[in-house]
Amino acid sequence: MSTYQVVPMIYDSKEQIGSIIILEQQCKQLDSIHLKADLDHISRKDGDHALLCYLNDQLVGLLSWYPSDGVTGNINAIVHPHHRRKGVFHSLLGRAVEDMKPQGITQLSYRVPQSLPPGLLTAQSLGAVHDRSEYSMQLMNMSLPANEQVELTLSVAKPQDFEFMVSCSAQAFGDSEGWTRNYFTQTNEPSRVTYIAWRDELPVGLVRINSINETTAFIHNFCILPAYQGQKLGRQVLTLLVELLLKQKNTDIRLSVVTENERALSLYRSVGFEVNSEYQYFIGSL
């Protein structure tokens, strides 16, 4: 009797990458939705951790994860439709938990496409509770509107800007400064660049870019100090940033936004971003 075998992914293995692409295509064909293995993140050195599940020589499941704040393991998984409810995901998760424990991970965040009921049921069966819903957005309109009067400049953050980053982000998102400081420390890596927005020589906001590959950039941690919100500074920052990313030859510019944040949705759409998918996030213990 054949049994499932879980092995770590080798980030630059052409054979494994080819099998993952086939698995994505099989899921898309059978589910009519595009489940993403996040190949850009798992096929680069020092990228996300990934585990593969095989039955004989066929890849039937994948689970990837990364730590964001030192205590949370962010999980993404895909399982071949014909092999669901057969223990594939639980085999992958069990092995992932073994790898996470020594790193101090104590809770898990599961990302599930809104249009995949089996994934939603699996998260709930694990005792995870719904945390938030997010839209994934992509820049579609490459011709940006003419700039309004620009009062801002963007500059790459320097070490001396770190405490402003912590204070600004904590105020804007409502997190503690301790958690925010730990988060920025944990995610300080070469692929991420933080830009500080300045007005009249004062820092008023920040935005971060995760360069997934040479042409793909993911915008995140975008915030303006509460004292400066409501002055259309966010639109100026986003416009300047998109223009900068396009000059850097990025052809795929993405971001995520909580579905209830109508103000942010309106801002992103005004600069040319469109929703391409929706995800549900669930939080559970290790």
Side-chain angles (χ1 to χ4, degrees):
M1 182 178 177
S2 300
T3 57
Y4 293 115
Q5 180 186 17
V6 175
V7 300
M9 179 184 174
I10 302 170
Y11 78 93
D12 58 353
S13 167
K14 292 182 180 178
E15 181 181 351
Q16 290 183 344
I17 291 171
S19 296
I20 292 168
I21 292 171
I22 291 172
L23 177 61
E24 283 185 323
Q25 292 170 343
Q26 290 170 333
C27 290
K28 184 176 182 180
Q29 182 179 9
L30 294 167
D31 280 330
S32 298
I33 63 171
H34 190 191
L35 293 179
K36 295 182 179 179
D38 287 347
L39 258 177
D40 289 329
H41 295 277
I42 62 179
S43 62
R44 66 181 185 184
K45 192 175 183 179
D46 301 322
D48 295 353
H49 307 269
L51 297 166
L52 308 178
C53 184
Y54 288 89
L55 179 63
N56 300 324
D57 292 327
Q58 181 189 2
L59 180 65
V60 296
L62 173 148
L63 182 149
S64 64
W65 68 274
Y66 67 92
S68 58
D69 56 7
V71 297
T72 304
N74 299 274
I75 290 175
N76 180 53
I78 60 175
V79 175
H80 191 289
H82 293 168
H83 294 272
R84 291 174 188 158
R85 294 184 173 274
K86 296 182 179 180
V88 173
F89 176 74
H90 287 276
S91 297
L92 288 163
L93 182 62
R95 173 61 185 273
V97 167
E98 290 179 16
D99 296 340
M100 291 181 199
K101 282 182 178 178
Q103 298 194 31
I105 303 297
T106 59
Q107 71 174 11
L108 304 175
S109 174
Y110 304 94
R111 186 185 75 176
V112 184
Q114 170 64 28
S115 51
L116 189 69
L120 301 175
L121 291 172
T122 297
Q124 293 164 351
S125 72
L126 292 167
V129 296
H130 187 262
D131 179 50
R132 67 190 187 279
S133 302
E134 287 188 0
Y135 289 129
S136 174
M137 304 186 77
Q138 186 174 19
L139 185 71
M140 303 301 289
N141 174 17
M142 305 302 279
S143 58
L144 294 168
N147 276 347
E148 303 154 359
Q149 182 179 355
V150 177
E151 310 168 62
L152 302 177
T153 57
L154 292 180
S155 67
V156 176
K158 299 176 182 177
Q160 57 265 36
D161 296 319
F162 187 77
E163 288 305 315
F164 167 76
M165 291 165 53
V166 171
S167 176
C168 180
S169 183
Q171 290 183 55
F173 295 118
D175 300 311
S176 71
E177 289 201 356
W179 183 93
T180 305
R181 185 173 286 106
N182 189 36
Y183 166 75
F184 279 128
T185 301
Q186 292 285 336
T187 57
N188 181 22
E189 51 195 6
S191 64
R192 296 180 198 263
V193 177
T194 301
Y195 292 93
I196 305 295
W198 300 82
R199 185 172 78 167
D200 299 330
E201 299 184 5
L202 292 175
V204 296
L206 67 92
V207 62
R208 305 181 81 199
I209 299 299
N210 186 5
S211 295
I212 298 171
N213 55 43
E214 291 181 355
T215 58
T216 304
F218 190 87
I219 300 171
H220 62 110
N221 295 122
F222 176 28
C223 58
I224 302 293
L225 276 172
Y228 292 91
Q229 291 177 10
Q231 302 177 33
K232 297 186 178 181
L233 300 186
R235 179 182 170 83
Q236 290 185 36
V237 171
L238 192 59
T239 300
L240 287 172
L241 181 67
V242 168
E243 289 176 337
L244 176 64
L245 292 173
L246 292 174
K247 287 178 183 176
Q248 294 173 351
K249 308 303 182 185
N250 289 284
T251 55
D252 185 2
I253 302 174
R254 312 174 192 170
L255 53 81
S256 293
V257 58
V258 176
T259 56
E260 289 84 5
N261 194 340
E262 293 291 340
R263 189 171 172 181
L265 267 171
S266 177
L267 168 63
Y268 299 144
R269 284 183 169 128
S270 74
V271 179
F273 286 88
E274 294 181 13
V275 172
N276 56 21
S277 55
E278 181 179 351
Y279 291 94
Q280 304 292 330
Y281 288 80
F282 293 81
I283 296 290
S285 57
L286 197 63

